[in-house]
Amino acid sequence: AYKRFSELLPKEERENAYSARVPKSQILTLPELRANPFQHRICHVFSTSETGDDSMSFEDFLDMLSVFSDSATSDIKSHYAFRIFDFDNDGILDRKDLEHLVNCLTGQGEESQLSGAEMEQLIQNILEESDIDKDGTINLSEFQHVVSRSPDFASSFKIVL
Amino acid sequence: MRSCWLRAPRRVWAGGRRPRGSLTPPSSPVPAAAAPRPRRARKRRHRRGAPASPAAMSGLGAAAGPAWQRDSGGLSLLAEEPHGAAPVDFLQELPSCQSARRRRGGTQECRPALLGTAGSRGDAARAETGELADRPAREHPKSMAEKRRIRDSQQADTEHLTRWKKWRRTSSKSLKKALTEVKGLSSYLVLWRHDIHSIEGKFGTGIQSYFSFLRFLVLLNFIIFILMFSFVTLPTIISKYGIFNSTIAYISPKNIDDTCTIYKPSGNKGLIYFYTYLKDLLSGTGFLEVTSLFYGYYSIDAVWISIMRYNLPLAYLLATFAYLTLSSLWIIKRSVEGFKQNLVHDADPFQSYCNKVFAGWDFCITDPNAARLKHRSLQYELQDIGNVNSQVNLLVQYLPSMVITLANFIGPLIFAFLIRFEDYTPAFEIKLTLLRCVFVRLANIGVLLFSLWSQIAGCGSDKCKPCGYNYKLYPCWESDVGQEMYKLMIFDFIVILAVALFADFPRKLLVTHCSWKLVQWFGHKEFEISDNVLEIIYGQTICWIGTFFSPLLPAIATIKYFIIFYVKKIVLIHTRKPAARPIRASSSNFFFLVVLLIGLLLAFIPLGFSIARIPSSKACGPFRNFNTSWEVIPDTILQFPTGLQQILFGIASEAFAVPFFVILCIMMFYVIALARAHKRVVEQLREQLVLESRDKMFLIRKIAEAQRYP
């Protein structure tokens, strides 16, 4: 992992890769993240950068790999998945977050988005399934509950270097 | 209100050091600088001040609040509430919020807790304070810097303990570390780990599940082979070559007509033509017939190794039962792993929308092309959801297909043709096609076996009076059945190789280089998972049936699947494009295993029949002295001491079986009743949660109003 990380840095900074920060654009060149529609969110969630530019240090990189590895508990995975899907960072998944999520899944481009009615129906169904206290949003507990019943989550939320 | 689940912890950390042993007041000012997560602080400053989660206000008087309106799907706040700050502060003082903060590790009471309990960090541990120390630092969802802090605080904790407890804690920690090391190393030993991972990256987890299934079958066959080899073939070989001072005991059969014991396999008759050699290799006759590959080789009644007597017929039969039991247990275990719980909720986990959306994206995909295809398939899947209400249609869908399957044994091509006119969901389509093709293929084997047996045991005109079976045509009928199975397996293998070589590669070459309209319409072949899975399940069923008659067949199956893995992988990478239809890894895994189990259960039938009903051949094999192969067991039991015999007879008698059955039924009813009761409780709790949240928002609004207009 250290090797992969240091490859992302320009040559002159490689010696002190432990303390260096890699800018977001470089991180996104990783093959594992390149094709991922959630790449920006992933960088944002794992970056502890104080300037908000979503750059990642080696520790952030390790954090990310550990969460996405096989040995992370499903608790941790669902916690971070929640934060990744929470596009407006308000701590809950409301309709806008869900809409954004579905659009990310179906791909960029006009023709790949769902129509308004389909989106409404889909979000309605999702909320019906997961919103336990019927407040129109999904909080962390509800998300973890619905994900624990989802058989595909553990196998899909995984990145192996 | 909901925001407090996540936001409150941030507040506590923003100060850079977590205060220990005290609850921070919820409305303490947050120093924005030196915060590990400054963007949270920013978020807080920019917070629109609206409670993020509107409640079901309609029942409580919508006029009271600002613009709470009912949308088509739920409630949403149309306009920002101008005095939102007050409710939110209240929300963060709520006891539930406090407990969430504690749960997330915001505060900590100094209670030394054993790290050893970290493995069982269920919800009970969460509710307790000091839970922080229960979990190893790794299992906290926080950044690296915070995890270091947690570990340091845990270390500091240990200093308070006595020496004994300290030693216990360090030893359990090092043991856990050792275990994880071992697990990590053993993951390197997993067969084809790198290959399957690269397939996963390029083609998604759906196709990867096919290859893991193949790997599972290779391992299963290898274990079966080891079992049969070590208990049946090895003693025979040891005794035939006289190693370890072993001798063979041949017991001459009594009460049996001499004509039944004539058996002259062609064997090694000196020089043979190459053509004959090849023919023998492919059909298991000739020189192969007399090798240890087939049943006829094991014409031994007992083996004496030094002073121990090894009962070979008993070992043969028990090894057969053992491999059948092992296979079924292993398959059931694997399928249970892939299909957890969901007894309490009625929803089908595989059709669930949340499953499709939250777990829809395979994070392993590294190839941009695959990503594009995945996007498109997700788009189709999510669009289709709106149109089909699958739950209602399920029963209606099953009925006609069952009728069709039973009444209509036409080939898979026609099924594929039909399915285009049946407007089922893609997932259901795959399952249905697979089921139909399964019935056809397994019926294939069934018909073959049936015709074989009608010939063997078909005693038309006194042909089998002396021996009980058709001894003229089949003096050693088990070897013949074994040969049929061997032939099926070899030809199956050859067909798979031939299709790969002569159909797929030319097709790809043709499509890429030839631009005729017709050829282009033909197009690239997709990786049809259902077809491929069927092939290997068919092969595995043959192996299960054939192993009793040909103990070395699992070895051939292992090698066959081993080679097929590489062939399929090469074909996949070079010729086929990933399927446009999405396949869910978990549901396909479970389904493959279910179909495999069906194959196994169907294999029980011919085996049971030949072991228990058809008289074993008197000219060859380990069961020459018994009427049927099954008789070894009653024979052996009769040699046990009387006490044990009586116990065993008692177990098999009605006096035991009927009460046992009744008790099983009672237990089953109890468990079902328990599950129903749990379901009811869960429903009630859910309703209660909804009411509670409504109550909470109502009260908060009232308080806010009271504050506003004192």
Side-chain angles (χ1 to χ4, degrees), chain A residues 35-37 44-45 47 59 63 75-76 79-80 83 89 92 104-105 107 111-112 114 118 120 124-125 129 132-135 139 150 152 156 158-160, chain B residues 2 5 37 39-40 43 54 72-73 121 126 138-139 142-144 148 197 352-355 357 359 361-364 375 379 383 584 586 689-690 693:
Chain A
N36 200 317
H44 186 77
V45 163
S47 155
E59 293 195 342
D63 264 337
D75 218 30
I76 296 220
H79 183 104
Y80 276 97
R83 283 170 58 186
N89 284 325
I92 46 157
C104 270
L105 284 178
E111 69 286 350
S112 58
L114 294 187
E118 285 165 352
E120 266 311 305
Q124 182 59 27
N125 289 333
E129 269 177 28
I132 299 180
D133 54 10
K134 307 273 178 277
D135 59 358
N139 66 10
S150 159
D152 287 321
S156 62
K158 178 166 71 162
I159 293 180
V160 183
Chain B
R2 294 287 173 267
W5 290 112
R37 292 172 194 268
R39 62 178 178 281
R40 310 275 175 211
K43 173 183 66 177
S72 59
R121 27 169 290 287
R126 285 221 195 124
R138 180 194 281 209
E139 295 180 11
K142 303 197 177 84
S143 80
M144 199 63 100
R148 268 206 217 103
H197 172 52
S352 135
Y353 301 103
C354 289
N355 187 39
V357 168
W361 182 261
D362 277 334
F363 278 66
C364 326
H375 279 305
Q379 182 192 351
Q383 270 173 348
R584 301 242 144 242
S586 59
L689 262 178
V690 177
S693 101

Coordinates of all heavy atoms in Angstrom, one line a residue, chain A residues 35-37 44-45 47 59 63 75-76 79-80 83 89 92 104-105 107 111-112 114 118 120 124-125 129 132-135 139 150 152 156 158-160, chain B residues 2 5 37 39-40 43 54 72-73 121 126 138-139 142-144 148 197 352-355 357 359 361-364 375 379 383 584 586 689-690 693:
Chain A
A35 N -12.9 4.4 -12.0 CA -14.2 4.1 -12.7 C -15.4 4.2 -11.7 O -16.5 3.9 -12.0 CB -14.2 2.7 -13.2
N36 N -15.1 4.7 -10.5 CA -16.1 4.7 -9.5 C -16.9 6.0 -9.5 O -16.3 7.1 -9.4 CB -15.3 4.6 -8.1 CG -16.2 4.1 -7.0 OD1 -17.4 4.5 -6.9 ND2 -15.8 3.1 -6.3
P37 N -18.2 5.9 -9.5 CA -19.0 7.2 -9.5 C -18.9 7.9 -8.2 O -19.3 9.1 -8.2 CB -20.4 6.7 -9.9 CG -20.4 5.3 -9.4 CD -19.1 4.7 -9.6
H44 N -13.5 12.9 -0.3 CA -14.0 13.9 0.7 C -14.1 13.3 2.1 O -13.7 13.9 3.1 CB -15.3 14.5 0.2 CG -15.9 15.6 1.0 ND1 -15.4 16.9 0.9 CD2 -16.8 15.6 2.0 CE1 -16.1 17.6 1.8 NE2 -16.9 16.9 2.4
V45 N -14.7 12.1 2.1 CA -15.0 11.5 3.4 C -13.7 11.1 4.1 O -13.6 11.3 5.3 CB -15.9 10.3 3.2 CG1 -15.9 9.4 4.4 CG2 -17.3 10.7 2.9
S47 N -10.6 12.2 3.6 CA -9.6 13.2 3.7 C -9.7 14.0 5.1 O -10.8 14.4 5.4 CB -9.7 14.2 2.6 OG -9.1 15.4 2.9
E59 N -2.0 8.4 6.0 CA -2.9 7.8 7.0 C -4.3 7.7 6.5 O -5.0 6.8 6.7 CB -2.8 8.6 8.3 CG -1.5 8.5 8.9 CD -1.5 9.0 10.3 OE1 -2.5 9.8 10.6 OE2 -0.6 8.7 11.1
D63 N -6.6 4.5 6.0 CA -8.0 4.5 6.6 C -8.9 4.0 5.5 O -9.7 3.1 5.7 CB -8.4 5.9 6.9 CG -8.2 6.2 8.4 OD1 -8.2 5.2 9.2 OD2 -8.1 7.3 8.8
D75 N -20.3 -3.1 10.4 CA -20.6 -1.9 11.1 C -19.8 -0.7 10.5 O -20.4 0.4 10.2 CB -20.2 -2.1 12.6 CG -21.2 -1.4 13.5 OD1 -22.4 -1.4 13.1 OD2 -20.8 -1.0 14.6
I76 N -18.5 -0.9 10.4 CA -17.7 0.2 9.9 C -18.0 0.5 8.5 O -18.1 1.7 8.1 CB -16.2 -0.2 10.1 CG1 -15.9 -0.4 11.5 CG2 -15.4 0.8 9.4 CD1 -14.5 0.1 11.9
H79 N -21.2 2.4 8.3 CA -21.0 3.8 8.8 C -20.4 4.7 7.7 O -20.8 5.8 7.4 CB -20.1 3.8 10.0 CG -19.8 5.1 10.7 ND1 -20.5 5.4 11.8 CD2 -19.1 6.1 10.3 CE1 -20.1 6.7 12.2 NE2 -19.2 7.1 11.3
Y80 N -19.3 4.2 7.1 CA -18.7 5.0 6.0 C -19.5 5.1 4.8 O -19.5 6.1 4.1 CB -17.3 4.5 5.7 CG -16.2 5.0 6.7 CD1 -15.8 4.2 7.8 CD2 -15.7 6.2 6.5 CE1 -14.9 4.7 8.7 CE2 -14.8 6.7 7.4 CZ -14.4 6.0 8.5 OH -13.5 6.5 9.4
R83 N -21.8 7.9 5.2 CA -21.2 9.2 5.0 C -20.9 9.4 3.5 O -21.0 10.6 3.1 CB -19.9 9.3 5.8 CG -20.2 9.5 7.3 CD -19.0 9.3 8.2 NE -18.0 10.3 7.8 CZ -16.8 10.3 8.4 NH1 -16.5 9.4 9.3 NH2 -15.9 11.1 8.0
N89 N -23.8 16.2 3.4 CA -23.1 16.2 4.7 C -23.9 16.7 5.8 O -23.5 17.3 6.8 CB -21.9 17.2 4.6 CG -20.7 16.5 3.9 OD1 -20.6 15.3 3.9 ND2 -20.0 17.3 3.1
I92 N -27.9 13.0 7.4 CA -29.1 12.1 7.1 C -29.2 12.0 5.6 O -28.6 12.8 4.9 CB -30.4 12.7 7.6 CG1 -30.5 14.1 7.2 CG2 -30.6 12.4 9.1 CD1 -31.9 14.6 7.2
C104 N -26.0 9.0 -9.6 CA -24.6 8.5 -9.7 C -24.6 7.1 -10.2 O -23.7 6.7 -11.0 CB -24.0 8.5 -8.3 SG -23.2 10.1 -8.0
L105 N -25.6 6.3 -9.7 CA -25.6 4.9 -10.1 C -25.9 4.6 -11.6 O -25.3 3.8 -12.2 CB -26.6 4.1 -9.3 CG -26.2 3.8 -7.8 CD1 -27.4 3.1 -7.2 CD2 -25.0 2.9 -7.8
G107 N -25.4 6.6 -14.0 CA -24.3 7.1 -14.9 C -24.6 8.6 -15.3 O -25.6 9.1 -15.2
E111 N -29.2 10.9 -21.1 CA -30.1 9.8 -21.4 C -30.1 8.7 -20.4 O -30.9 7.8 -20.4 CB -29.8 9.2 -22.8 CG -28.4 8.5 -22.9 CD -27.3 9.4 -22.8 OE1 -27.5 10.6 -23.0 OE2 -26.1 8.9 -22.7
S112 N -29.1 8.8 -19.5 CA -29.0 7.7 -18.5 C -29.7 8.0 -17.2 O -29.8 7.2 -16.3 CB -27.6 7.3 -18.3 OG -26.9 8.5 -17.8
L114 N -32.9 8.6 -14.7 CA -34.3 8.2 -14.7 C -35.2 9.4 -14.8 O -34.9 10.5 -14.5 CB -34.6 7.5 -13.3 CG -33.8 6.2 -13.0 CD1 -34.4 5.7 -11.7 CD2 -34.0 5.2 -14.1
E118 N -40.3 8.0 -12.5 CA -39.6 6.8 -12.0 C -38.8 7.1 -10.8 O -38.7 6.3 -9.9 CB -38.6 6.3 -13.2 CG -39.4 5.7 -14.3 CD -38.5 5.5 -15.5 OE1 -37.4 6.1 -15.5 OE2 -38.9 4.9 -16.5
E120 N -39.3 9.3 -8.5 CA -40.2 9.5 -7.4 C -40.6 8.1 -6.9 O -40.6 7.9 -5.7 CB -41.5 10.2 -7.9 CG -41.4 11.7 -7.7 CD -41.0 12.1 -6.3 OE1 -41.7 11.6 -5.3 OE2 -40.0 12.8 -6.1
Q124 N -39.7 6.6 -3.3 CA -40.8 6.2 -2.4 C -40.6 4.8 -1.9 O -40.8 4.5 -0.7 CB -42.1 6.3 -3.3 CG -43.3 6.0 -2.5 CD -43.5 7.0 -1.3 OE1 -43.0 8.1 -1.3 NE2 -44.1 6.5 -0.3
N125 N -40.3 3.9 -2.8 CA -40.1 2.5 -2.4 C -38.9 2.4 -1.4 O -39.0 1.6 -0.5 CB -39.8 1.6 -3.7 CG -41.0 1.5 -4.5 OD1 -42.1 1.6 -4.0 ND2 -40.8 1.3 -5.8
E129 N -39.1 1.1 2.5 CA -38.4 -0.1 3.0 C -37.5 0.3 4.2 O -37.3 -0.5 5.1 CB -37.5 -0.7 2.0 CG -38.1 -1.7 1.2 CD -37.2 -2.2 0.1 OE1 -36.0 -2.1 0.3 OE2 -37.7 -2.6 -1.0
I132 N -37.8 3.8 9.1 CA -38.6 3.1 10.2 C -39.5 4.1 10.9 O -40.7 3.8 11.2 CB -37.7 2.4 11.2 CG1 -36.8 1.4 10.5 CG2 -38.5 1.8 12.3 CD1 -35.9 0.7 11.4
D133 N -39.0 5.3 11.2 CA -39.9 6.1 11.9 C -40.6 7.1 11.0 O -41.2 8.1 11.5 CB -39.1 6.9 13.0 CG -37.9 7.6 12.4 OD1 -37.8 7.7 11.2 OD2 -37.1 8.1 13.2
K134 N -40.6 6.8 9.7 CA -41.5 7.6 8.8 C -41.3 9.1 8.9 O -42.3 9.8 9.0 CB -43.0 7.2 9.1 CG -43.3 5.8 9.1 CD -43.6 5.3 7.6 CE -43.8 3.8 7.6 NZ -42.6 3.0 7.5
D135 N -40.1 9.5 8.9 CA -39.9 11.0 8.9 C -39.4 11.5 7.5 O -39.1 12.6 7.4 CB -39.0 11.4 10.0 CG -37.6 10.8 9.8 OD1 -37.4 10.0 8.9 OD2 -36.7 11.1 10.6
N139 N -31.8 7.9 8.7 CA -30.6 8.3 9.6 C -29.7 7.1 9.6 O -29.9 6.0 9.0 CB -31.1 8.8 10.9 CG -31.7 7.7 11.7 OD1 -31.7 6.5 11.3 ND2 -32.3 8.0 12.8
S150 N -29.1 -6.5 3.8 CA -28.9 -6.6 2.3 C -27.7 -7.5 2.1 O -26.6 -7.4 2.5 CB -28.5 -5.2 1.9 OG -27.7 -5.2 0.7
D152 N -26.0 -8.2 -0.6 CA -25.0 -7.9 -1.5 C -24.0 -6.9 -1.0 O -22.9 -6.6 -1.6 CB -25.5 -7.3 -2.8 CG -26.2 -8.3 -3.6 OD1 -25.7 -9.5 -3.7 OD2 -27.3 -8.0 -4.2
S156 N -20.1 -6.0 -2.3 CA -19.9 -5.0 -3.3 C -19.1 -3.8 -2.7 O -18.4 -3.1 -3.4 CB -21.2 -4.5 -3.8 OG -22.0 -3.9 -2.7
K158 N -16.3 -3.1 -1.4 CA -15.0 -3.8 -1.2 C -14.0 -3.3 -2.2 O -14.3 -3.3 -3.4 CB -15.1 -5.3 -1.2 CG -13.9 -6.1 -1.0 CD -14.3 -7.5 -0.8 CE -14.8 -8.2 -2.0 NZ -14.7 -9.6 -1.9
I159 N -12.8 -2.9 -1.8 CA -11.7 -2.6 -2.8 C -10.5 -3.3 -2.3 O -10.1 -3.2 -1.2 CB -11.4 -1.1 -2.8 CG1 -12.6 -0.3 -3.4 CG2 -10.2 -0.8 -3.7 CD1 -12.3 1.2 -3.4
V160 N -9.9 -4.1 -3.2 CA -8.7 -4.8 -2.8 C -7.6 -4.3 -3.8 O -7.7 -4.3 -5.0 CB -8.9 -6.3 -3.0 CG1 -7.6 -7.0 -2.5 CG2 -10.1 -6.8 -2.2
Chain B
R2 N -32.3 14.5 13.4 CA -31.5 13.3 13.0 C -30.0 13.7 12.9 O -29.1 12.9 13.1 CB -31.9 12.8 11.6 CG -33.3 12.2 11.6 CD -33.3 10.9 12.3 NE -34.7 10.4 12.4 CZ -35.5 10.7 13.5 NH1 -35.0 11.3 14.5 NH2 -36.7 10.3 13.5
W5 N -27.2 12.5 15.4 CA -26.5 11.2 15.4 C -25.0 11.4 15.0 O -24.2 10.8 15.5 CB -27.2 10.3 14.4 CG -28.5 9.8 14.9 CD1 -29.7 10.1 14.3 CD2 -28.9 9.0 16.0 NE1 -30.7 9.6 14.9 CE2 -30.3 8.9 15.9 CE3 -28.1 8.4 17.0 CZ2 -30.9 8.1 16.9 CZ3 -28.8 7.6 17.9 CH2 -30.2 7.5 17.9
R37 N -11.8 17.7 11.9 CA -12.7 17.7 10.8 C -13.3 19.1 10.6 O -14.5 19.3 11.0 CB -13.9 16.7 11.0 CG -13.3 15.3 11.0 CD -14.3 14.3 11.4 NE -13.6 13.1 11.6 CZ -13.4 12.2 10.7 NH1 -13.9 12.3 9.5 NH2 -12.7 11.1 11.0
R39 N -14.4 20.6 8.2 CA -15.5 20.8 7.4 C -16.8 20.6 8.1 O -17.8 21.1 7.7 CB -15.4 19.9 6.1 CG -15.5 18.4 6.5 CD -15.4 17.7 5.2 NE -15.4 16.2 5.6 CZ -14.4 15.6 6.0 NH1 -13.2 16.2 6.0 NH2 -14.5 14.3 6.2
R40 N -16.8 19.8 9.2 CA -18.0 19.7 10.0 C -18.3 21.0 10.6 O -19.4 21.4 10.7 CB -17.8 18.6 11.0 CG -17.3 17.3 10.5 CD -18.4 16.5 10.0 NE -17.8 15.3 9.4 CZ -18.3 14.7 8.3 NH1 -19.4 15.1 7.8 NH2 -17.7 13.6 7.9
K43 N -19.7 23.2 8.3 CA -21.1 22.8 8.0 C -22.1 23.3 9.1 O -23.1 23.7 8.8 CB -21.1 21.3 7.9 CG -22.5 20.7 7.8 CD -22.4 19.2 7.9 CE -21.9 18.7 9.2 NZ -21.8 17.2 9.3
P54 N -38.4 16.7 9.0 CA -39.8 17.0 9.3 C -40.5 15.8 9.8 O -40.2 14.7 9.4 CB -40.4 17.5 8.0 CG -39.5 16.9 7.0 CD -38.1 16.7 7.6
S72 N -45.8 14.2 -2.4 CA -46.4 12.9 -3.0 C -45.9 11.7 -2.3 O -46.5 10.7 -2.2 CB -46.0 12.8 -4.5 OG -44.6 12.8 -4.6
G73 N -44.7 11.8 -1.8 CA -44.2 10.6 -1.2 C -44.0 10.7 0.3 O -43.9 9.7 1.0
R121 N -18.9 -7.6 20.4 CA -19.4 -6.3 20.6 C -20.8 -6.2 20.0 O -20.9 -5.6 19.0 CB -18.4 -5.3 20.1 CG -17.6 -5.7 18.9 CD -16.9 -4.6 18.3 NE -17.8 -3.7 17.6 CZ -18.4 -3.9 16.4 NH1 -18.2 -5.1 15.9 NH2 -19.2 -3.1 15.9
R126 N -22.8 -1.9 23.5 CA -22.9 -0.5 23.1 C -23.6 0.2 24.2 O -23.4 1.4 24.4 CB -23.7 -0.5 21.8 CG -22.9 -0.8 20.7 CD -23.2 0.1 19.5 NE -22.7 -0.5 18.3 CZ -23.5 -0.8 17.3 NH1 -24.7 -0.4 17.3 NH2 -23.0 -1.3 16.2
R138 N -9.3 -0.7 16.0 CA -9.6 -0.9 14.6 C -11.0 -0.7 14.3 O -11.4 -0.4 13.2 CB -9.1 -2.3 14.2 CG -9.3 -2.6 12.7 CD -9.1 -4.0 12.5 NE -7.7 -4.3 12.5 CZ -7.2 -5.3 11.8 NH1 -8.0 -6.1 11.1 NH2 -5.9 -5.6 11.8
E139 N -11.9 -1.1 15.2 CA -13.3 -1.2 14.9 C -14.0 0.0 15.2 O -15.2 0.1 15.2 CB -13.9 -2.4 15.7 CG -13.3 -3.7 15.3 CD -13.9 -4.8 16.1 OE1 -14.9 -4.6 16.8 OE2 -13.3 -5.9 16.0
K142 N -13.4 5.9 12.9 CA -12.9 7.2 13.0 C -11.6 7.3 12.2 O -11.1 6.3 11.8 CB -12.6 7.5 14.5 CG -13.9 7.4 15.3 CD -13.7 8.1 16.6 CE -15.0 8.0 17.4 NZ -15.1 6.8 18.1
S143 N -11.1 8.4 12.2 CA -9.8 8.6 11.4 C -8.6 8.0 12.2 O -8.7 7.8 13.4 CB -9.6 10.0 11.0 OG -9.0 10.7 12.1
M144 N -7.5 7.9 11.5 CA -6.3 7.3 12.1 C -5.9 8.0 13.3 O -5.5 7.4 14.3 CB -5.2 7.3 11.0 CG -4.1 6.4 11.3 SD -4.7 4.7 11.2 CE -4.2 4.2 9.6
R148 N -5.6 6.4 17.1 CA -4.4 6.4 17.9 C -4.7 6.8 19.3 O -4.3 6.3 20.3 CB -3.3 7.3 17.3 CG -2.4 6.5 16.4 CD -1.1 7.1 16.3 NE -0.7 6.9 14.9 CZ -0.7 7.9 14.0 NH1 -1.0 9.1 14.3 NH2 -0.3 7.6 12.8
H197 N -9.9 -12.4 -8.6 CA -10.0 -10.9 -8.3 C -10.0 -10.1 -9.5 O -10.7 -9.1 -9.7 CB -8.8 -10.6 -7.3 CG -8.7 -9.1 -7.1 ND1 -9.7 -8.3 -6.7 CD2 -7.7 -8.3 -7.3 CE1 -9.3 -7.1 -6.6 NE2 -8.1 -7.0 -7.0
S352 N -35.2 -6.4 -3.0 CA -35.4 -5.1 -2.2 C -34.7 -4.0 -2.9 O -33.6 -4.0 -3.5 CB -34.7 -5.3 -0.8 OG -34.0 -4.2 -0.5
Y353 N -35.4 -2.8 -2.9 CA -34.9 -1.7 -3.6 C -33.7 -1.1 -2.9 O -32.7 -0.7 -3.6 CB -36.0 -0.6 -3.6 CG -37.3 -1.0 -4.3 CD1 -38.4 -1.4 -3.5 CD2 -37.4 -1.1 -5.6 CE1 -39.5 -1.8 -4.1 CE2 -38.5 -1.5 -6.3 CZ -39.6 -1.9 -5.5 OH -40.7 -2.3 -6.1
C354 N -33.7 -1.2 -1.6 CA -32.5 -0.7 -0.9 C -31.3 -1.5 -1.2 O -30.2 -1.0 -1.4 CB -32.8 -0.8 0.6 SG -33.9 0.4 1.2
N355 N -31.5 -2.8 -1.4 CA -30.4 -3.7 -1.8 C -29.8 -3.2 -3.1 O -28.6 -3.1 -3.3 CB -30.8 -5.1 -1.8 CG -29.7 -6.1 -2.1 OD1 -28.6 -5.9 -1.5 ND2 -29.9 -7.1 -2.9
V357 N -30.1 -0.3 -4.5 CA -29.5 1.0 -4.6 C -28.3 1.2 -3.7 O -27.2 1.7 -4.2 CB -30.6 2.1 -4.2 CG1 -30.0 3.4 -3.9 CG2 -31.6 2.1 -5.2
A359 N -26.4 -1.2 -2.3 CA -25.3 -2.2 -2.6 C -25.3 -2.4 -4.1 O -24.8 -3.5 -4.5 CB -25.6 -3.5 -1.8
W361 N -23.6 -0.7 -6.5 CA -22.4 -0.5 -7.2 C -21.3 -1.4 -6.7 O -21.0 -1.4 -5.5 CB -22.0 0.9 -7.1 CG -20.7 1.2 -7.9 CD1 -19.5 1.2 -7.4 CD2 -20.7 1.3 -9.3 NE1 -18.6 1.4 -8.5 CE2 -19.3 1.5 -9.6 CE3 -21.6 1.4 -10.3 CZ2 -18.9 1.7 -10.9 CZ3 -21.2 1.5 -11.6 CH2 -19.8 1.7 -11.9
D362 N -20.7 -2.2 -7.6 CA -19.5 -3.0 -7.2 C -18.3 -2.1 -7.1 O -17.8 -1.7 -8.2 CB -19.2 -4.1 -8.3 CG -20.1 -5.3 -8.2 OD1 -20.6 -5.5 -7.1 OD2 -20.4 -5.9 -9.2
F363 N -17.8 -2.0 -5.9 CA -16.7 -1.1 -5.8 C -15.4 -1.7 -6.3 O -14.4 -1.1 -6.4 CB -16.5 -0.7 -4.3 CG -17.4 0.4 -3.9 CD1 -18.7 0.3 -3.8 CD2 -16.8 1.7 -3.5 CE1 -19.6 1.3 -3.5 CE2 -17.6 2.7 -3.1 CZ -19.0 2.5 -3.1
C364 N -15.5 -3.0 -6.7 CA -14.3 -3.6 -7.2 C -14.0 -3.3 -8.7 O -12.9 -3.7 -9.2 CB -14.3 -5.1 -7.1 SG -15.2 -5.7 -5.7
H375 N -23.3 0.8 -15.3 CA -24.2 1.9 -15.2 C -25.4 1.6 -15.9 O -26.6 1.9 -15.5 CB -23.5 3.2 -15.8 CG -22.6 3.9 -14.8 ND1 -23.0 4.3 -13.6 CD2 -21.3 4.3 -15.0 CE1 -21.9 4.9 -13.0 NE2 -20.9 4.9 -13.8
Q379 N -29.2 1.2 -14.7 CA -30.3 2.0 -15.2 C -31.5 1.2 -15.6 O -32.6 1.5 -15.2 CB -29.8 2.8 -16.3 CG -30.8 3.8 -16.9 CD -30.3 4.4 -18.2 OE1 -29.1 4.1 -18.6 NE2 -31.2 5.1 -18.9
Q383 N -35.1 1.2 -13.7 CA -36.3 1.7 -14.5 C -37.4 0.6 -14.4 O -38.5 0.9 -14.3 CB -35.9 1.9 -15.9 CG -35.5 3.4 -16.1 CD -34.9 3.6 -17.5 OE1 -34.7 2.6 -18.2 NE2 -34.8 4.8 -17.9
R584 N -27.0 -10.4 -9.7 CA -26.6 -10.1 -8.3 C -25.8 -11.3 -7.8 O -26.2 -12.4 -7.9 CB -27.8 -10.0 -7.5 CG -28.7 -8.9 -8.0 CD -28.9 -7.8 -6.9 NE -29.0 -6.6 -7.7 CZ -28.1 -5.6 -7.5 NH1 -27.2 -5.7 -6.7 NH2 -28.3 -4.5 -8.2
S586 N -25.1 -12.2 -4.7 CA -25.6 -13.0 -3.6 C -26.7 -13.9 -4.1 O -26.7 -15.1 -3.7 CB -26.0 -12.1 -2.5 OG -27.1 -11.3 -3.0
L689 N -42.3 3.3 17.2 CA -41.2 4.2 16.8 C -41.8 5.4 16.0 O -41.5 6.5 16.2 CB -40.2 3.5 15.9 CG -38.9 3.0 16.6 CD1 -38.1 2.3 15.6 CD2 -38.2 4.2 17.2
V690 N -42.7 5.0 15.1 CA -43.3 6.1 14.3 C -44.1 7.1 15.2 O -43.9 8.3 15.1 CB -44.3 5.5 13.2 CG1 -45.0 6.6 12.5 CG2 -43.5 4.6 12.3
S693 N -41.7 9.3 17.2 CA -41.1 10.4 16.5 C -42.1 11.5 16.2 O -41.7 12.7 16.4 CB -40.5 9.9 15.2 OG -41.3 10.2 14.1

